[in-house]
Amino acid sequence: MSKDLNDAKLTAYVLGELSDKEMKEIELLIKNDPKLKADVESIKSFTQLMRSELKVEPVPVLKDNVKQNINSEINKKLFLAKLFSWNSPLKIALSTGFVFVVCFITLDKFDDLQSTAPTNEVVELTNVEEASIDKEVVETPEAKVTFNNPKQKVRKKFTITSSNRKALKKSYSASRRSFKEGVSGGSKGVKASYKKGANLKSIRVDPSKTGLLSTFGSKGVQKKLSKSRSRKSFIVRDKKPEPIEPIIVEFKKPLAEPLSTFSIDVDTASYSHARKQIMSHSKLPSPNDVRIEEFVNYFKYNDKTPSGDEPFSVGLELSESPWNEGYELVRIALKGKATKTKLRKKNLVFVVDTSGSMNNIDKIPLLKDGLNGLVDQLNSHDTISIIKYAGSHGIHLQPTNGLKKDEIKQAINSLMASGSTNGEGGIKKLSQVFT
Amino acid sequence: VNDEQKKQWLNELFADYQGRLLRYTQRFVANHHANEIVQDVFLKLIKLDDPEKIKGRELSWMFCVSRNQAIDHLRKEKKMSSINSDDEIPFDDSIDKNIEKKESLSMIMKLISELNSTQKEVIILKFQEDLSYAQISEITGHTVNHIGVIVHEAIKKMKNNYQTKGRS
């Protein structure tokens, strides 16, 4: 090390700019060197003199008009922010608690049953109502809810094979049973089939192996459907956001391909997106933005809730196809249990993404709204904590009793979105809070 | 974004730092320009997309922005009067001027006026604004080690001059 730098170190030592280790080294040097000690003392007294002299200089003040400008800018900013929060959109529907699935199957006319001509079948749509899954998670005694994005996608797959409507009808009761078995059988997935006569095909229920919350891509569906061909066609969407060619899936011949699949989906965004395109922008949505199952999902149907031990009910409706004469439409609706209004003791931990991408009027403010709504429903035996993560992560709200609503709401309202996304950190913190 | 908290944050920064920021900026440019620059700094702060990014180092951020604005301003002025733009950035001419005016000004100010601009600035930031080497490094762009050397040499020079003057 050069002498200069060492000298500079001596000054840095006096000014308290060294690390502990370096401090100790210098202290050791000083002990054995009276000249060095004198140097240090002289720097010390000189810098003290300098400090006290420089502090005397008065601090100037800004011109009045500049002060006013800055003050009004600060207040203007606040005012704008308030305006936005008044506009804040719908509350997150945490409190609704049921699942239902709807699917439509267009079948050939009943008359065609006897004919040798193959019948056509199109599986059109499925749905699971959205907010319900969040709730299901919240319900459990030590629930963990991740609010990365208010929208949770839950998909489930099962397959229905049928050659004709009669078969479907006849096997409905059987399928009902098998649906039940399929779900009550837990996470294993159950295959059940019903056979009657040579013509009758089986209905196979195959909840994917992880049970209700399992997810899967729509690829499988597309693959199977795209193989089929004949009279009628419809569009199957792709999950990817980038523009793609519409996928046309035509009717298939059940005799040749008796198996068809459809997915259970909770999204409703496509409907609101299409509505926005039409109402606000006066243009039709692009074909790939129209997802029939999400249109169906958007509405409530008052389907029968399951009774007794049934995990969900299956409803079946049949009507003439309104848009295609000579065809009929089957709607299969799955509905989960409605949750009890009286909630059990809960320990809620929210892992909140506060990264910059959440800095949007329909993200963080919406999330705060939803959380505030939840806090109103908490009571004395509930505990809530919040972990936030962005570039860094940390416990934003230590586990707090549900009655301390002001404290909790203050913490919720102080969430600010900025920085990068370190989801891993947030999850790690979560496990800390739970242990 | 919590409005109240953000407002509080901005108001606190404004109350705490406006004077110091102005004093520092005045050492580069004339008072009315310094006022404009400080106003710009606060407007930038208010409009900051991501305030979290500067949390904990607001002071050095504001000093740094102020400094850059002041230097920009000086460059423009220099261009107009066609002076070589590679010149050292003049820091605190006022110290020298004041000395001419007031002989009574403190011995320390006299000593500072004898330093070069870089030394002057670092000494002012260190001993008047009470900033750490790390903060000064953030503001001026010199490395922390370099700051150490600058401070050390400036003190050495000032001490020497002080002793000479004291003797004479």
Side-chain angles (χ1 to χ4, degrees):
Chain A
M1 207 171 275
S2 76
K3 189 174 180 286
D4 249 10
L5 200 61
N6 270 325
D7 280 359
K9 258 193 174 174
L10 218 55
T11 308
Y13 167 75
V14 174
L15 298 175
E17 290 280 354
L18 292 181
S19 68
D20 288 351
K21 195 183 156 224
E22 286 171 315
M23 288 273 247
K24 278 186 187 129
E25 281 171 18
I26 299 279
E27 267 160 22
L28 209 70
L29 282 175
I30 294 169
K31 247 185 192 171
N32 307 321
D33 190 340
K35 195 192 161 288
L36 214 57
K37 197 174 180 181
D39 277 353
V40 166
E41 286 307 318
S42 118
I43 296 172
K44 220 176 236 171
S45 61
F46 187 76
T47 53
Q48 269 162 9
L49 176 71
M50 202 153 51
R51 273 211 171 90
S52 57
E53 293 253 1
L54 284 173
K55 288 271 157 66
V56 176
E57 193 186 353
V59 179
V61 282
L62 285 172
K63 289 176 183 165
D64 284 347
N65 64 326
V66 173
K67 270 191 193 170
Q68 275 168 16
N69 286 349
I70 295 169
N71 271 323
S72 74
E73 279 298 317
I74 292 175
N75 289 319
K76 197 164 102 196
K77 170 119 187 159
L78 179 73
F79 177 65
L80 278 178
K82 269 213 171 120
L83 263 187
F84 276 121
S85 70
W86 290 339
N87 276 342
S88 73
L90 301 165
K91 308 225 168 198
I92 297 171
L94 268 168
S95 46
T96 52
F98 56 92
V99 185
F100 76 94
V101 180
V102 182
C103 53
F104 281 88
I105 298 176
T106 321
L107 293 176
D108 226 13
K109 252 200 148 175
F110 191 69
D111 300 345
D112 293 343
L113 282 177
Q114 306 304 328
S115 74
T116 47
T119 57
N120 302 309
E121 175 189 314
V122 170
V123 177
E124 280 194 4
L125 15 102
T126 60
N127 105 13
V128 174
E129 189 167 290
E130 185 189 307
S132 51
I133 300 302
D134 294 349
K135 189 58 185 180
E136 294 249 316
V137 180
V138 174
E139 295 297 296
T140 55
E142 285 208 328
K144 310 170 190 183
V145 178
T146 304
F147 262 90
N148 193 341
N149 191 319
K151 221 154 245 178
Q152 291 255 352
K153 272 192 183 174
V154 176
R155 284 152 178 248
K156 203 158 80 82
K157 167 191 170 185
F158 52 91
T159 53
I160 288 186
T161 4
S162 75
S163 64
N164 58 50
R165 191 181 58 124
K166 202 189 221 167
L168 186 72
K169 254 186 169 174
K170 280 180 181 167
S171 56
Y172 166 56
S173 57
S175 71
R176 210 184 138 96
R177 213 179 309 132
S178 39
F179 270 124
K180 266 189 270 166
E181 285 164 6
V183 175
S184 60
S187 58
K188 281 173 190 166
V190 170
K191 230 194 237 179
S193 62
Y194 179 83
K195 282 184 185 169
K196 193 184 175 189
N199 284 338
L200 205 55
K201 301 292 184 289
S202 68
I203 287 189
R204 197 168 115 238
V205 185
D206 187 8
S208 52
K209 295 202 168 149
T210 43
L212 261 175
L213 286 172
S214 66
T215 61
F216 86 115
S218 53
K219 265 187 187 164
V221 178
Q222 283 167 21
K223 239 186 204 164
K224 273 172 187 160
L225 291 179
S226 58
K227 274 190 213 155
S228 58
R229 57 191 98 87
S230 82
R231 283 183 248 165
K232 199 183 157 194
S233 62
F234 77 104
I235 294 155
V236 171
R237 67 182 173 88
D238 194 280
K239 258 174 93 180
K240 289 170 200 159
E242 61 259 27
I244 47 148
E245 284 296 300
I247 298 164
I248 313 290
V249 182
E250 301 180 322
F251 272 111
K252 60 181 177 181
K253 297 174 179 169
L255 284 185
E257 285 180 80
L259 181 76
S260 94
T261 61
F262 58 90
S263 62
I264 301 175
D265 192 336
V266 296
D267 281 355
T268 60
S270 173
Y271 176 82
S272 30
H273 174 73
R275 186 180 54 192
K276 192 172 150 196
Q277 291 292 310
I278 294 164
M279 304 297 281
S280 307
H281 306 292
S282 302
K283 63 177 185 187
L284 289 172
S286 87
N288 283 338
D289 287 344
V290 177
R291 300 166 186 177
I292 304 163
E293 75 275 21
E294 295 188 14
F295 275 55
V296 174
N297 278 347
Y298 193 85
F299 301 97
K300 305 230 180 294
Y301 294 93
N302 287 325
D303 288 306
K304 211 182 101 210
T305 48
S307 54
D309 290 338
E310 287 180 315
F312 60 84
S313 68
V314 183
L316 198 66
E317 278 180 312
L318 178 77
S319 82
E320 301 249 319
S321 166
W323 62 81
N324 210 347
E325 210 186 318
Y327 286 78
E328 281 172 343
L329 214 51
V330 178
R331 173 174 170 266
I332 302 172
L334 307 188
K335 182 161 180 171
K337 273 183 190 164
T339 49
K340 292 168 211 150
T341 41
K342 182 124 178 142
L343 301 175
R344 277 177 294 170
K345 185 178 170 182
K346 295 178 296 296
N347 177 16
L348 302 171
V349 179
F350 290 89
V351 183
V352 182
D353 177 353
T354 54
S355 63
S357 62
M358 291 289 283
N359 192 7
N360 201 317
I361 197 68
D362 61 357
K363 289 178 180 169
I364 279 277
L366 185 68
L367 182 146
K368 286 181 185 175
D369 250 4
L371 286 178
N372 278 323
L374 172 85
V375 171
D376 289 333
Q377 296 175 28
L378 295 177
N379 49 39
S380 61
H381 40 257
D382 298 330
T383 311
I384 182 168
S385 10
I386 298 173
I387 294 163
K388 64 174 180 180
Y389 69 90
S392 59
H393 53 85
I395 299 173
H396 185 65
L397 175 67
Q398 293 289 348
T400 305
N401 188 286
L403 281 185
K404 294 180 182 164
K405 297 195 194 299
D406 286 341
E407 198 180 308
I408 300 168
K409 284 187 177 178
Q410 202 189 341
I412 291 169
N413 292 329
S414 69
L415 286 168
M416 266 168 66
S418 68
S420 55
T421 314
N422 177 13
E424 188 195 355
I427 300 295
K428 278 185 179 158
K429 205 85 198 169
L430 173 85
S431 60
Q432 273 178 34
V433 170
F434 267 102
T435 48
Chain B
V1 179
N2 186 322
D3 318 331
E4 279 305 327
Q5 278 189 350
K6 182 148 189 200
K7 192 191 169 190
Q8 200 189 341
W9 179 67
L10 289 168
N11 276 325
E12 274 171 14
L13 290 180
F14 184 50
D16 292 351
Y17 297 144
Q18 53 164 306
R20 292 171 68 184
L21 206 53
L22 182 64
R23 180 168 68 186
Y24 173 67
T25 314
Q26 276 176 354
R27 299 197 191 282
F28 291 101
V29 296
N31 185 32
H32 66 283
H33 291 308
N35 265 273
E36 275 171 24
I37 287 170
V38 171
Q39 178 174 318
D40 279 358
V41 171
F42 278 102
L43 296 190
K44 274 194 175 160
L45 183 74
I46 291 165
K47 285 174 189 148
L48 214 59
D49 285 337
D50 194 353
E52 207 73 34
K53 259 187 193 160
I54 64 158
K55 278 273 162 71
R57 49 183 197 89
E58 291 96 339
L59 181 78
S60 39
W61 183 86
M62 290 196 297
F63 270 66
C64 184
V65 175
S66 208
R67 182 184 197 268
N68 290 339
Q69 302 259 63
I71 291 169
D72 277 354
H73 178 86
L74 290 173
R75 289 225 171 96
K76 270 182 210 153
E77 276 191 339
K78 274 187 178 177
K79 241 178 212 169
M80 280 191 278
S81 57
S82 70
I83 293 171
N84 188 359
S85 63
D86 291 332
D87 280 351
E88 200 177 30
I89 300 142
F91 185 81
D92 214 345
D93 293 336
S94 66
I95 294 179
D96 309 280
K97 282 172 200 155
N98 283 344
I99 284 161
E100 283 153 26
K101 277 184 210 157
K102 290 188 192 174
E103 203 46 50
S104 61
L105 202 83
S106 75
M107 171 66 85
I108 294 294
M109 277 302 187
K110 273 187 200 171
L111 294 171
I112 289 176
S113 73
E114 283 158 11
L115 299 173
N116 69 36
S117 288
T118 312
Q119 288 173 329
K120 271 185 208 167
E121 184 183 9
V122 173
I123 288 292
I124 287 291
L125 288 173
K126 179 70 218 171
F127 296 101
Q128 188 166 52
E129 301 301 341
D130 239 339
L131 303 182
S132 68
Y133 283 9
Q135 282 174 308
I136 299 171
S137 156
E138 266 188 84
I139 294 166
T140 61
H142 303 304
T143 64
V144 172
N145 276 340
H146 191 193
I147 302 285
V149 174
I150 293 169
V151 170
H152 171 74
E153 279 175 354
I155 289 177
K156 203 157 81 178
K157 187 174 173 188
M158 288 167 81
K159 264 172 68 190
N160 280 337
N161 290 346
Y162 184 60
Q163 279 155 6
T164 350
K165 272 175 191 144
R167 260 184 244 128
S168 65

